[in-house]
Amino acid sequence: MLRRPKPTDSEADILREQQKFLTSGASSAANVVRRPDKRRGEAGGGGGEDHSGENGGSQKDVVTIEDLPDQLPSLTPAPPKKSRFKASRVTFEKEDAEERLDRQDTHISAVLSRIVERDTSSSPISLPAFTGMAFPKVMHRSATGSQVPLPSAGGKKSIFARQIAAQRLKEGKTPLHRVPEAARKHEPREQNLPPEISMDTDQPTTVSSPCLVSGRGLAGPDSSGDIMRIHRDNQAKIQAMSQSEIQEERNKLLSQLDPRLVEFVKSCKGQSIPSSASPSKHPEDKSSKESFPLQNRSTESDSSSAAVLSQKPQEVEMEGVEEEEEEMSPPTAVTERNLPVKPQREWVHMDKQEPEKLEWMRDLPAPRRKITKQAMQARFDFNGTLIPPTEDLPTHLGLHHHGEEPERAGYSLQELFLLSRSQIFQQRTLALNTLANILSKARAGEYMPVLKGSVMSTLLDAGLLFLLRFALDESVEGVMSVAVHALKALLVCAEDEECLDSTFSWFRGLSSFPLLPSAQEEEEEEDLGLDESMKETAKEKEERKSDHDVARQDVVKGLLKMKLLPRLRYILEVVRPSPRVVHDVMEVLTRIARHSSSSATQVLDCPRLMETVMSEFLPTSWTGPSLPFPQFVYGLPLARAMKLLRVLATSGRHACARLLNSLGVRERLSCLMSAEPSQLLLEPSEALRITTEAYRLWAVAAGYGQACKLYIDLYPALVTALQSVHRVLAPSDPLLPLQLQRVLALLTLLTQVTHTAGCHQELQAGMVSSQGDECPPPPPVSWGHVTGLQASLLGHFKGFVKSLDNPVQKNSSLTLIPAYLLYLEAYYHQLSRQNCFKPVETLQELELLTSEVLLPLLSHTVVQDLINNLKSSSVVCNVQSSHLGPESIPSLPNLACPGWRDRLGLVVPSSPFPLLTGLGLLLETITGIHKGLSCKFTGLLLSEPVIGYLRSCSQATPTLSHNRAWLLRHEHHLLYLLLRLAHRLVPIEREVAKHASLYHQVALVLLPWLLPGSEYLAHELLSTIIFSKDFISEGHSGGPEAVELGELKLHEEKHHHTSPSLQTVGALLREACVQLPSIRGCFLTHLAHLESFVLVSRDTLLGRNPWINSHLLPELTGPTMPSDWPYLPLVSLYERTGVSDGGGLAVEELPQGTLGTVIHCLQWLLLLEVWREEALKVILPVAKLARLSCVFLCSGDLFLEKPVQKLAWGLFRLLTRQSRLDSLDLNVPPPGLASFQDLYSALLAQYEAVSFGDRLFGCWVLVPLQRRYSATMRLAVFGEHVGMLRSLGVTLEQLSIPIERFTSPPEDSLPLLRLYFRSLVTGTLRPCWCPVLYVVALSHVNSFIFSQDAAAQEVEAARHSMLRKIYYLTDEVLKKHLLLFRLPQPRSDVGFDMYDHLPLIRAKRLESIVGLQDSSDDKGD
């Protein structure tokens, strides 16, 4: 037998098989047949052999297979098609169709020759009728009357089919597939309800036709009749059934069918009821429906069902959470009656109406008024206002569209994104403008109460940044302009800028934090384990990231990476857009410059950008505009451009020098400052704004010691401006706020120039002594250049203080007085450092200033009213403010200023902070010069508002973020100045000394609050107040004795002997008070690494301008000092000498002075825990325990030193008090550690290695073994470190922790219970070696073996096994302990109570288990 070829056969195998086939003579499975070409007259028949020799080039090979029919079988059974005209034609069976066509259609002339013109001579000619229409009515095909209307059921029919139907009607025959009217008349007219309606009714209801099954798609001439026949059979069966049988069948169906199918059936029922269930309510509809054929009605019903079904998913989604819903009529089916435009059958393709396609022509339904808990999609109008879901707005507003919810007005964010990618630029403009309005309102926090989630985060995650960046590249100026506006709305908050401008004249108000996102970078996996030299730098990682990754972490960096700056330069330089776009570009550039110094440098380095800004918007000469608000700002000075320069100058002294020298800012300042604002040929408000910004820019430059030559050149103009201060501040002037800001900027400039001039003498001497070493050059302005202004400014100051009595001028005076106080502080601070300083004259001058100005100012009722607002305006005291702030996203930090005028705060006019800060600075300076003036200001510290404010601050826990840091910095300045005043008064004023502990508490809580840039304040607090004996009044007023008495009383109440170390706490506190100077030196030594930051901060805060490198504060990564700074020496020692990864010590010998450092640190901690417990509440108890564990981990025998033992015992007793134990949560990882379990493993290894059975170390190890903590640590003791049980000899009395915390509730970890049992029966755990854990193990094993609780089979088997093993123990003492254990009892010799004999229920359980075992053994025998 021949085989089939295989894929593995070679060519030789195939040839061999071919030879076998040919020799066998078998017939082939397929033959090659050439079919005759009829067009060439070839005869049919014959195989390929008959014609193989003819016309070889044109032969066609046809492959035929045996038993294969010539025609393909039909895949679906269908009735044969018949032609009515076929019978009238004469055809031959073997006639070729092509030949017949050629024979009949010989040429076109044969057709034309048969055309005979019709005689129309007798036909009447009628003129067209006159109508009111402009054009005659168009004749349609259907107007001939030769067609019948398209039936409503049966599918689509061609024109030819309708002509045939018309012919049959003329012949009197019934059209195919139509039910005769007579037959329809006999059918009962009943409600058109679905068959499953009987599921919810008491009586079975007969219906005329099925609603679920229509029969469409079935083959056969009478498919609809079959459906009706089946339907009638079903109805007959239902009517023959009883109600109980119907209910039984219904339940059976519901249990078997898919719930979704049941819901579908019910929905069909619900859609059919409204149309016919209430005929009394709609008599007109009923009569009109009865006049239509039944099939038309069913079609309308089907279409209405489809329309309702299309809305059903949304309703179902809301259904589960609805609480209340207004009664609404169900939607009606779409018919000609309820369409605004009536479709005519004569219209093309309107002979068959499709209701679901006509539904868009209907009026929109009113929004459904629901009260629901489910979130709904937010929709906005073109102004960005959120539209309530129940709002029914008119359609002429243009807010309705063909979206998912056409009845709801407005656009969702998704639809706006879709519209912004439209090909029609007007639609793109509309979408981007709407997004800009939404962003503005989101920044203002208007959506926070009503929307879930952040709108800005949602937009950024959806790719808004890339959408705006692509829109900036549009060639259409309108789209480009609105994209700039949207970018400005995203990046810039106008109220943030207003707040920063209003605080510019405050103390160090020209400094600000960079608006950098919080650093959340983690070390990448590929960098782990590499040397520092092999790791990628931050810049290299940044370049390797994609635009999307960079923008997700930092929006501004992402924009810079997307080449935003060159595009903005192109818009300004080439496009030259409208004023609004120019203003938006300036504000965007300002926000980018505020981001960081590197971003500001990129703005400066962008080719031709700053040159365009300087030449077009800060020209040296210009022509006055013809209109108050010009339509073209090119060639005119722009205040926003000057502000951009000021923010760029804030980023660093080098950037400021570039602006002054390379870009020609010096000339622009000379041009603007040399004339009055009214002479600048600008609109008045714009002239005031640009001169104000010019003064501020000049003040920033003077803050670096730059642009001081300009002061000498423009001195006459400055004097003129000072002389006109009272004149320009007219209360009736509508531009008064702008005039006030201009005067404040001028005073800030003079203050900075005074600081710079005060450093001239020191720099001059330093340059001489340095002899070529690097030293800043002395500024051109000296002290003699500024002394002449002091008298004039002091006179102004006195005048404004007197103006406080005038209600009209009160607000203006309160605004300006803080700036004058800051100027006087700068003057007297620098005066005391000059060689020309005359002490006697200065002291007399200060006394006059105090008595004539400062004391009257402080006692004025207006100022007292301000001081009463101290607590309500505080940011520190009002952490839990009810005000909902604006949206803030991590990648785009802001200052949270929207709405700042409507709420209390530091910046509002009613805030006392600027006034008290200026006054505090002046008092700090003049009391340093004249010590006797301190007593005159005692009333300030003792006033009730200040005391109440300090008490609130001592208990506050403010959170740190960008939107609070810029305000917290100013409040920290005031707190520091109040403490400095207290430092001067506490030693000399008895009344102030009564509140010394309050001031000390405030100093302790303020220290970890101080932000980057305030390191000098932290250093001063540590040096003066924190470790001062005067502020720890308990140390010299019976505090230690009170502690000792409290401890003795506690011991008497407990009636048992405790460790003698408890009685030494008082002595330890006395010793700590004596050692306060040494303790201060210890902490200052461990903070020496902050020295460089302290020096930079000192130069900034003391006005050493030539040494300042940048007015941009350090990045806001966190407070200057950690909150657990009292533990800093211990942590530092552990990092240098602690346990390494291998378990041994990192060093063999401790550094010199280590013991003293540890002792001083523990003394300070003990003092704080006893007298300043509130100051340490910010440190978690688990963090305290972890930090103190460093005493045991940093050395092998350090904890054995006697002073360390005493102090550590005292701290242990304090940490294990009842209230502290309740708050100690070891499941929370301590700061800096992954988990407490890792630290505990190191403690266990250290205990086994070097503890020598030390009781203090043992207590430390036992604390985490309490029952409420994780069983992992108990498993580590009884598993990996079971050997330590031999030396853990801590007694119940020494532990000072109730034993119930270890034994209750009963242990539920089966592996741990087995370890307990094994350590007991093997003798590893004995009462003489480890009393505490012996009692703990006994208690848990005893509770486990006699527990009556139901448990799993494995647990129950373990109980039986343990109980049997205990019963057969040979150690009678252990057996007795395990079986008769009752309760832990610390006063007992063995540490627990026992039953005299086993209780009855336990005895029965033991007997049953042991008896079962004995019986099974007997059976086995």
Side-chain angles (χ1 to χ4, degrees), residues 1010-1297:
L1010 293 176
L1011 302 175
S1014 302
E1015 291 83 0
Y1016 176 71
L1017 303 184
H1019 180 270
E1020 289 296 302
L1021 288 176
L1022 289 170
S1023 303
T1024 56
I1025 299 176
I1026 298 292
F1027 301 101
S1028 173
K1029 292 185 296 182
D1030 298 328
F1031 286 86
I1032 306 178
S1033 57
E1034 295 86 351
H1036 49 79
S1037 61
E1041 290 77 9
V1043 173
E1044 288 178 341
L1045 289 175
E1047 292 290 344
L1048 289 175
K1049 183 179 179 181
L1050 181 64
H1051 303 338
E1052 291 175 1
E1053 291 176 355
K1054 290 186 176 181
H1055 298 292
H1056 64 85
H1057 177 72
T1058 56
S1059 173
S1061 61
L1062 288 176
Q1063 303 172 12
T1064 64
V1065 173
L1068 294 174
L1069 289 173
R1070 275 192 293 270
E1071 179 65 22
C1073 291
V1074 173
Q1075 295 293 330
L1076 279 176
S1078 301
I1079 295 173
R1080 177 179 58 190
C1082 169
F1083 278 89
L1084 288 176
T1085 302
H1086 278 83
L1087 293 172
H1089 63 282
L1090 297 175
E1091 181 180 2
S1092 60
F1093 299 98
V1094 172
L1095 294 177
V1096 172
S1097 176
R1098 181 198 64 181
D1099 295 339
T1100 302
L1101 296 172
L1102 297 184
R1104 295 166 55 84
N1105 290 348
W1107 287 271
I1108 296 177
N1109 288 321
S1110 175
H1111 293 309
L1112 205 60
L1113 295 170
E1115 183 181 350
L1116 188 62
T1117 56
T1120 301
M1121 300 276 290
S1123 59
D1124 59 349
W1125 67 269
Y1127 299 88
L1128 194 59
L1130 293 180
V1131 176
S1132 176
L1133 182 64
Y1134 171 72
E1135 290 176 350
R1136 285 184 290 148
T1137 64
V1139 177
S1140 62
D1141 295 337
L1145 295 177
V1147 296
E1148 296 181 359
E1149 186 177 352
L1150 292 175
Q1152 187 177 2
T1154 299
L1155 179 60
T1157 299
V1158 173
I1159 292 173
H1160 292 326
C1161 182
L1162 294 178
Q1163 286 175 333
W1164 180 242
L1165 290 172
L1166 183 66
L1167 189 147
L1168 293 179
E1169 287 287 351
V1170 175
W1171 290 330
R1172 299 290 182 267
E1173 184 179 354
E1174 282 293 319
L1176 297 179
K1177 69 179 181 180
V1178 295
I1179 308 175
L1180 296 175
V1182 63
K1184 295 180 181 180
L1185 187 65
R1187 301 298 187 259
L1188 287 173
S1189 299
C1190 296
V1191 174
F1192 304 99
L1193 295 174
C1194 63
S1195 173
D1197 57 355
L1198 181 63
F1199 62 91
L1200 297 175
E1201 297 289 341
K1202 191 173 182 179
V1204 176
Q1205 280 269 320
K1206 290 181 178 181
L1207 292 166
W1209 268 117
L1211 288 169
F1212 178 77
R1213 301 299 179 191
L1214 292 172
L1215 291 176
T1216 55
R1217 286 176 293 180
Q1218 183 73 20
S1219 59
R1220 297 296 184 84
L1221 286 175
D1222 292 338
S1223 60
L1224 180 62
D1225 186 4
L1226 301 184
N1227 294 324
V1228 178
L1233 295 175
S1235 67
F1236 185 83
Q1237 284 85 349
D1238 298 340
L1239 177 67
Y1240 190 65
S1241 299
L1243 273 175
L1244 294 179
Q1246 184 80 342
Y1247 183 87
E1248 284 187 306
V1250 298
S1251 69
F1252 302 104
D1254 180 66
R1255 299 295 188 266
L1256 173 63
F1257 204 165
C1259 289
W1260 218 267
V1261 169
L1262 287 173
V1263 170
L1265 300 182
Q1266 297 175 63
R1267 177 64 182 87
R1268 60 189 290 243
Y1269 300 132
S1270 173
T1272 306
M1273 293 180 282
R1274 298 191 291 278
L1275 287 169
V1277 172
F1278 284 89
E1280 303 170 15
H1281 303 279
V1282 69
M1284 64 181 289
L1285 299 178
R1286 188 178 180 88
S1287 58
L1288 196 56
V1290 179
T1291 64
L1292 296 177
E1293 294 178 351
Q1294 292 171 335
L1295 182 59
S1296 76
I1297 300 177

Side-chain angles (χ1 to χ4, degrees), residues 156-170:
K156 187 176 181 181
K157 285 190 176 182
S158 64
I159 298 175
F160 179 73
R162 278 180 274 164
Q163 289 176 346
I164 298 302
Q167 183 179 351
R168 291 182 63 85
L169 285 175
K170 288 180 181 180

Side-chain angles (χ1 to χ4, degrees), residues 4 28 305 314 329 410 555 557 565 589 638 789 952 964 967:
R4 296 179 62 85
S28 59
S305 300
Q314 182 181 353
S329 59
V555 171
K557 275 189 178 179
L565 295 178
L589 292 174
L638 205 59
L789 295 178
S952 298
R964 301 173 62 87
L967 292 173

Side-chain angles (χ1 to χ4, degrees), residues 278-579:
S278 55
S280 61
K281 294 184 181 179
H282 305 281
E284 297 179 1
D285 294 348
K286 179 180 178 181
S287 60
S288 62
K289 286 183 180 179
E290 287 180 353
S291 64
F292 285 110
L294 181 61
Q295 283 186 329
N296 290 346
R297 268 198 297 164
S298 65
T299 304
E300 293 173 5
S301 175
D302 292 344
S303 62
S304 65
S305 300
V308 176
L309 279 174
S310 66
Q311 298 175 0
K312 192 66 179 174
Q314 182 181 353
E315 297 173 4
V316 171
E317 183 181 355
M318 303 289 292
E319 194 173 302
V321 292
E322 282 185 16
E323 292 177 347
E324 183 180 340
E325 184 174 342
E326 293 186 4
E327 293 293 333
M328 292 187 63
S329 59
T332 59
V334 181
T335 61
E336 294 184 8
R337 187 180 297 274
N338 53 21
L339 288 177
V341 179
K342 310 300 181 186
Q344 303 296 327
R345 293 185 180 275
E346 292 80 9
W347 296 354
V348 179
H349 301 309
M350 290 301 293
D351 44 8
K352 177 185 177 183
Q353 296 178 14
E354 299 176 274
E356 64 274 8
K357 295 183 180 179
L358 296 176
E359 191 172 5
W360 67 272
M361 298 174 61
R362 300 174 61 187
D363 291 336
L364 289 173
R368 302 194 67 178
R369 299 182 179 272
K370 294 182 180 180
I371 299 176
T372 176
K373 297 178 183 177
Q374 182 171 348
M376 303 184 72
Q377 191 176 40
R379 292 189 174 275
F380 307 88
D381 64 8
F382 298 130
N383 294 323
T385 305
L386 189 67
I387 300 178
T390 58
E391 186 102 15
D392 191 8
L393 296 177
T395 56
H396 71 269
L397 298 178
L399 296 173
H400 294 82
H401 53 88
H402 303 291
E404 296 178 355
E405 301 169 305
E407 71 276 5
R408 286 188 58 192
Y411 286 81
S412 65
L413 296 180
Q414 182 180 0
E415 290 162 353
L416 287 173
F417 265 70
L418 186 64
L419 198 63
S420 66
R421 296 190 293 270
S422 170
Q423 294 184 356
I424 303 173
F425 77 90
Q426 290 92 341
Q427 292 182 344
R428 297 201 300 274
T429 303
L430 181 68
L432 290 172
N433 194 53
T434 305
L435 286 173
N437 296 331
I438 292 173
L439 287 170
S440 299
K441 292 182 181 295
R443 268 199 168 277
E446 295 187 15
Y447 304 136
M448 294 288 285
V450 291
L451 288 185
K452 183 196 299 183
S454 170
V455 173
M456 294 186 65
S457 298
T458 303
L459 289 172
L460 288 176
D461 292 342
L464 174 69
L465 214 58
F466 295 91
L467 176 67
L468 297 181
R469 182 62 189 89
F470 297 153
L472 286 176
D473 291 335
E474 289 269 7
S475 58
V476 181
E477 184 177 349
V479 179
M480 186 191 311
S481 301
V482 76
V484 172
H485 184 60
L487 187 63
K488 177 249 182 181
L490 173 66
L491 297 179
V492 182
C493 180
E495 293 180 301
D496 286 0
E497 294 294 331
E498 289 179 15
C499 287
L500 288 175
D501 292 344
S502 64
T503 58
F504 183 84
S505 59
W506 292 15
F507 175 62
R508 298 309 304 169
L510 51 80
S511 300
S512 62
F513 286 105
L515 294 181
L516 277 167
S518 300
Q520 298 177 346
E521 295 275 343
E522 295 184 359
E523 191 173 13
E524 299 183 3
E525 294 182 0
E526 56 264 25
D527 290 344
L528 295 176
L530 295 178
D531 296 334
E532 292 296 329
S533 59
M534 300 292 293
K535 293 181 180 179
E536 286 185 327
T537 62
K539 185 176 181 180
E540 292 173 343
K541 291 181 180 179
E542 191 90 18
E543 293 174 351
R544 189 162 51 86
K545 289 181 181 177
S546 64
D547 294 350
H548 171 72
D549 293 335
V550 175
R552 187 176 55 186
Q553 296 177 357
D554 191 332
V555 171
V556 175
K557 275 189 178 179
L559 288 171
L560 292 175
K561 191 174 175 63
M562 289 185 238
K563 307 297 183 184
L564 174 67
L565 295 178
R567 186 59 185 174
L568 294 181
R569 190 270 311 160
Y570 173 83
I571 293 174
L572 291 178
E573 185 181 25
V574 180
V575 180
R576 300 172 72 87
S578 62

Side-chain angles (χ1 to χ4, degrees), residues 76-87:
T76 56
K81 295 183 180 180
K82 298 180 179 179
S83 174
R84 299 188 55 202
F85 308 102
K86 185 176 182 181

Side-chain angles (χ1 to χ4, degrees), residues 19 386 646 653 809 836 878 905 944 1094 1203 1338 1398 1404:
Q19 186 64 30
L386 189 67
R646 188 244 299 178
R653 64 185 304 113
Q809 299 179 355
C836 61
N878 297 298
E944 188 60 32
V1094 172
L1338 278 181
L1398 202 61
K1404 288 183 178 180

Side-chain angles (χ1 to χ4, degrees), residues 727-1012:
R727 177 174 54 83
V728 300
L729 297 180
S732 60
D733 188 359
L735 300 177
L736 179 60
L738 295 178
Q739 294 282 9
L740 287 173
Q741 290 298 319
R742 178 173 174 269
V743 174
L744 287 173
L746 174 60
L747 293 173
T748 305
L749 166 64
L750 297 178
T751 302
Q752 295 302 323
V753 172
T754 303
H755 276 303
T756 301
C759 300
H760 178 90
Q761 179 179 301
E762 181 181 355
L763 287 172
Q764 190 73 33
M767 187 174 63
V768 173
S769 61
S770 63
Q771 297 180 353
D773 294 340
E774 183 178 356
C775 180
V781 61
S782 63
W783 185 248
H785 291 106
V786 297
T787 52
L789 295 178
Q790 189 263 348
S792 176
L793 289 171
L794 182 59
H796 288 177
F797 178 45
K798 292 178 181 179
F800 284 118
V801 172
K802 292 179 181 179
S803 300
L804 291 175
D805 298 324
N806 188 348
V808 178
Q809 299 179 355
K810 179 186 68 174
N811 292 332
S812 300
S813 300
L814 286 177
T815 303
L816 295 176
I817 284 175
Y820 282 100
L821 290 171
L822 292 178
Y823 169 78
L824 292 175
E825 185 276 332
Y827 176 81
Y828 288 112
H829 174 73
Q830 298 297 340
L831 175 63
S832 62
R833 302 170 57 194
Q834 305 302 316
N835 293 333
C836 61
F837 174 61
K838 298 177 181 180
V840 178
E841 295 179 3
T842 305
L843 294 180
Q844 294 175 353
E845 186 179 340
L846 293 178
E847 289 176 357
L848 286 175
L849 176 66
T850 300
S851 59
E852 294 180 359
V853 184
L854 297 183
L855 290 177
L857 173 65
L858 194 56
S859 60
H860 201 282
T861 55
V862 174
V863 177
Q864 289 298 317
D865 292 340
L866 278 183
I867 296 177
N868 290 332
N869 297 333
L870 194 59
K871 185 177 177 180
S872 59
S873 302
S874 168
V875 180
V876 170
C877 300
N878 297 298
V879 178
Q880 304 297 334
S881 175
S882 60
H883 171 73
L884 286 175
E887 289 189 13
S888 179
I889 52 178
S891 59
L892 191 64
N894 58 11
L895 304 184
C897 294
W900 62 276
R901 293 185 180 88
D902 304 328
R903 63 180 190 268
L904 293 174
L906 262 70
V907 194
V908 295
S910 61
S911 170
F913 281 90
L915 178 63
L916 289 181
T917 303
L919 183 61
L921 278 167
L922 183 57
L923 294 182
E924 169 69 10
T925 298
I926 65 175
T927 55
I929 298 173
H930 192 327
K931 303 290 191 299
L933 295 178
S934 303
C935 302
K936 296 183 180 295
F937 300 97
T938 303
L940 176 62
L941 280 181
L942 296 179
S943 63
E944 188 60 32
V946 174
I947 293 296
Y949 168 66
L950 292 177
R951 284 202 181 99
S952 298
C953 289
S954 66
Q955 300 170 0
T957 54
T959 56
L960 179 61
S961 62
H962 269 288
N963 51 19
R964 301 173 62 87
W966 72 283
L967 292 173
L968 286 172
R969 184 172 68 96
H970 294 293
E971 187 163 359
H972 295 166
H973 291 159
L974 177 60
L975 285 172
Y976 169 77
L977 293 169
L978 291 175
L979 292 175
R980 288 292 298 174
L981 183 59
H983 178 253
R984 298 188 187 279
L985 291 174
V986 165
I988 59 177
E989 285 291 334
R990 183 176 302 229
E991 290 299 320
V992 178
K994 293 180 181 179
H995 301 280
S997 59
L998 173 61
Y999 303 138
H1000 191 244
Q1001 178 80 14
V1002 173
L1004 288 172
V1005 298
L1006 176 61
L1007 185 63
W1009 292 350
L1010 293 176
L1011 302 175

